[in-house]
């Protein structure tokens, strides 16, 4: 137990650190040095580690990513999260205004103009000033619990300032700052990994990390743009006032928002946002215009899915012209040959574009692109850059139609286009160094064998020294030879070898994915692994056996057969076995069926289970866990501070189990707790 002094010191540290966080991240006006700040947070972490009772849910130490995850459990939104209707021209923006004026009988009393942040929507709930929940938007009614990950976002306070209401739910947009994205990609490239496509997808992926420590490293940020459900907040006349109130509570409100009068001023804001689209450290995909007065909002009302009092002006995709200096080809991991445009660097849609895929020869000829052409390049939001069309008037004399080369520039083997296929292929198999490189990179990648440290750069180095010529060789690398590589020392060699060693023991589904068989991605691989448990059984299965499985059709069984008739692939499987790669999964433990036919809802906090582990325990015994209470629910498992679900279960007269009874249910079956 902590002494009273220690408890007091912890409370003081929490307040200090929370305040410094706010000054640093929200006001950009720190009053202590980084070193002083570090000392405070380290002292707090140490105290909490010694006395876990001091590690309360409002502690700022959770922002460094030590939160325990109850991640992705369904969350029922108290008030629906609506979406917005869109317009894409000033004329249709004016038409929206006209409809609004008709509904109100007059011009609305002021508009709020806000940036439409290109991130992902989140709902955050505070109880008595303490952050208790973060949830994704989901379908607007039910989202997913991402509390542990939201807590790692530095700009979001764990504890509100001033007098906080009893319940406060706010909506906002989580995003990855452009600068953080650039830094992440710089590190990614340095490690020889593929760069991320854009900040939005990367932010979305980061929020969906199972491990909050990973989210914490991504430097996400957030702008709050809307007050949601609340109990005990003061009344407001306008949206802009409510935002000021949220800012006073310490929430990050975007300073680029403006309250303006009249549609002309709205249009000025839109034009300015367009012009300075990339001047900020966050990406936008439009502007949101809201009638500011809450009375006006109420009078305008809602359609089935969106308010009539607000509208999103979507920014158009950006286009620029540049010169197509060359057309080159890639050979991918399956041997597919893809032409791509080499472009004079052009800044479009927030990034500098130097190349763009042209997909296949047919596509290229449809667009009539020729080397030397001035071309229009487009990039919209999260879309990868695209060469739209040539500017024919600027075509240089004698520019020739492009044709796929007859031979692969990497291995000299023939390039063939099979009847009825859009994609040409290199016939060189793994003789082709380009294909081999892509194949090995895929084999080691995260969704496949997940060999940390074996990115593009390392694969290239190993290939160019002739250390590997197929995936089997990875597992037979000799430390002494690796030490000869430039820039490699004992530590990096040991790290790589350790990563390779642990990759020998991956589940069968990962190995199947890694083999890069056409049509066998992660989902199909998992289905196959679960049904056959070892690689020989899969490769020896007849089409009938394969197609009897849900999710496996004739195309997949044909692709497997084709893959396995190739001797090189048979040899590869044997070689992987010989070097000790696991090619089978253990028999699943026989699951009991004591809870078959029963449906449970789990709510509140349990002492000895996370939401996930409680769910898994029920499912292991054949039971079902669902997100919401209904007449069909067999029982509600209610932990500490269970809320509305408990009330609902009680009102329906359902059986409610406490944690003790839940454990008894798992150990001794439903009769033991009087269920059935
Ligand atoms: S207001 C009822 N304001 O755009 C009002 N939304 O379809 C609902 N978004 O997914 C939204 N920036 O996450 C609002 N300043 C802003 C916004 C914003 C981005 C997102 C929001 C939602 C989508 C609207």
């Amino acid at each position: 137990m902590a002494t009273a002094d220690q408890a007091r010191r912890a409370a003081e540290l929490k307040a200090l650190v929370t305040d410094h966080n706010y000054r640093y991240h929200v006001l950009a006006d720190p009053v202590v040095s980084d070193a002083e700040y570090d000392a405070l947070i380290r002292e707090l972490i140490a105290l909490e580690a010694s006395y876990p009772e001091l590690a309360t849910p409002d502690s700022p130490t959770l922002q460094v990513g030590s939160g325990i995850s109850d991640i992705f459990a369904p969350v029922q939104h108290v008030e629906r999260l609506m979406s917005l209707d869109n317009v894409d021209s000033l004329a249709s923006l004016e038409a929206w205004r006209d409809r609004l004026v008709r509904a109100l009988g007059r011009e609305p009393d002021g508009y709020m103009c806000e940036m439409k942040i290109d991130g992902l929507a989140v709902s955050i709930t505070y109880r008595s000033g303490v952050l208790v929940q973060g949830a994704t938007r989901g379908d607007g009614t039910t989202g997913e619990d991402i509390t542990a990950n939201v807590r790692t976002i530095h700009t979001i306070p764990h504890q509100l300032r001033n007098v906080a209401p009893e319940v406060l739910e706010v909506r906002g947009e989580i995003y990855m700052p452009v600068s953080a994205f650039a830094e992440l990609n710089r590190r990614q490239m340095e490690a020889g990994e593929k760069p991320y496509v854009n900040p939005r997808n990367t932010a979305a992926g980061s929020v969906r990390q199972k491990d909050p420590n990973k989210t914490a490293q991504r430097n996400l940020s957030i702008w709050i743009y809307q007050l949601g459900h609340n109990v005990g907040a003061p009344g407001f006349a306008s949206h802009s006032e409510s935002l000021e109130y949220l800012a006073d509570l310490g929430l990050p409100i975007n300073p680029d928002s403006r309250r303006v009068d009249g549609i002309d001023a709205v249009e000025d804001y839109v034009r300015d946002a367009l012009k300075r689209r990339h001047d900020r450290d966050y990406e936008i995909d439009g502007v949101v215009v809201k009638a500011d007065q809450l009375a006006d909002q109420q009078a305008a009302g809602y359609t089935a899915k969106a308010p009539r009092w607000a509208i999103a002006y979507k920014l158009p995709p950006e286009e620029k012209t540049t010169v197509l200096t060359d057309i080159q080809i890639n050979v991918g991991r399956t041997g597919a040959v893809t032409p791509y445009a080499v472009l004079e660097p052009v800044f479009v849609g927030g990034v500098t574009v130097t190349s763009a895929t042209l997909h296949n020869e047919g596509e290229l000829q449809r667009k009539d692109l020729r080397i030397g052409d001035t071309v229009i390049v487009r990039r919209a939001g999260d879309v990868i850059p695209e060469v739209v069309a040539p500017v024919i008037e600027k075509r240089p004399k004698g520019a020739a139609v492009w044709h796929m080369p007859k031979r692969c520039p990497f291995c000299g083997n023939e390039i063939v286009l099979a009847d009825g296929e859009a994609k040409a292929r290199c016939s060189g198999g793994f003789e082709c160094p380009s294909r081999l490189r892509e194949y090995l990179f895929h084999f080691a990648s995260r969704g496949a064998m997940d060999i940390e440290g074996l990115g593009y750069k390392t694969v290239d180095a190993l290939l160019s020294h002739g250390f590997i010529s197929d995936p089997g060789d990875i597992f037979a690398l000799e430390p002494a030879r690796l030490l000869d590589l430039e820039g490699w020392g004992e530590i990096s060699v040991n790290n790589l070898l350790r990563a390779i060693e642990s990759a020998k023991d991956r589940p069968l589904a990962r190995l199947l994915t890694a083999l890069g068989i056409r049509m066998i991605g992660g989902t199909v691989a998992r289905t196959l692994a679960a049904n056959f448990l070892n690689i020989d059984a899969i490769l020896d299965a007849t089409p009938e056996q394969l197609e009897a499985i849900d999710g496996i059709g004739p195309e997949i069984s044909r692709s497997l057969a084709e893959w396995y008739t190739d001797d090189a692939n048979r040899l590869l499987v044997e070689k992987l076995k010989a070097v000790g790669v696991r090619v089978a999964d253990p028999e699943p433990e026989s699951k009991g069926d004591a809870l078959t036919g029963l449906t449970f809802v789990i709510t509140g906090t349990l002492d000895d289970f996370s939401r996930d582990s409680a769910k898994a325990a029920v499912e292991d015994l054949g039971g079902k866990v669902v997100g919401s209470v209904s007449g069909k629910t067999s029982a509600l498992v209610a932990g500490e501070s269970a809320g509305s679900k408990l009330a609902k279960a009680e009102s329906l007269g359902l059986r409610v189990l406490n944690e003790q009874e839940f454990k008894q249910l798992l150990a001794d079956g439903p009769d033991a707790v009087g269920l059935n």
Side-chain angles (χ1 to χ4, degrees), residues 395-457:
R395 173 164 290 166
K397 276 209 181 69
V401 174
W402 185 85
H403 288 293
M404 183 65 82
K406 297 264 177 292
R407 293 200 167 268
C408 172
F410 302 101
C411 67
N413 286 293
E414 212 181 329
I415 292 178
V416 286
L417 181 64
D419 273 352
E421 298 231 340
K423 282 253 174 193
R425 294 182 177 277
C426 164
S427 61
F430 290 127
E431 249 177 58
C432 177
S434 171
R435 177 179 180 184
L436 180 60
R437 169 178 184 260
E438 296 295 323
Y439 188 81
L440 290 170
F441 179 71
H442 162 79
F443 186 86
S445 66
R446 228 170 277 163
M449 296 299 264
D450 195 11
I451 307 179
E452 199 165 331
L454 199 51
Y456 264 118
K457 242 166 81 178

Side-chain angles (χ1 to χ4, degrees), residues 351-378:
V351 295
T352 301
V353 175
T354 55
S355 65
T357 178
L358 298 170
H359 305 288
N360 56 57
E361 189 175 0
E363 167 95 0
L364 222 153
Q365 259 139 34
R366 251 189 315 283
K367 288 184 177 167
D368 187 23
L369 297 172
R370 306 188 190 180
I371 295 169
D373 269 346
T374 294
V375 293
I376 300 167
V377 175
R378 169 159 60 196

Side-chain angles (χ1 to χ4, degrees), residues 505 651 654:
D505 196 34
S651 77
L654 295 179

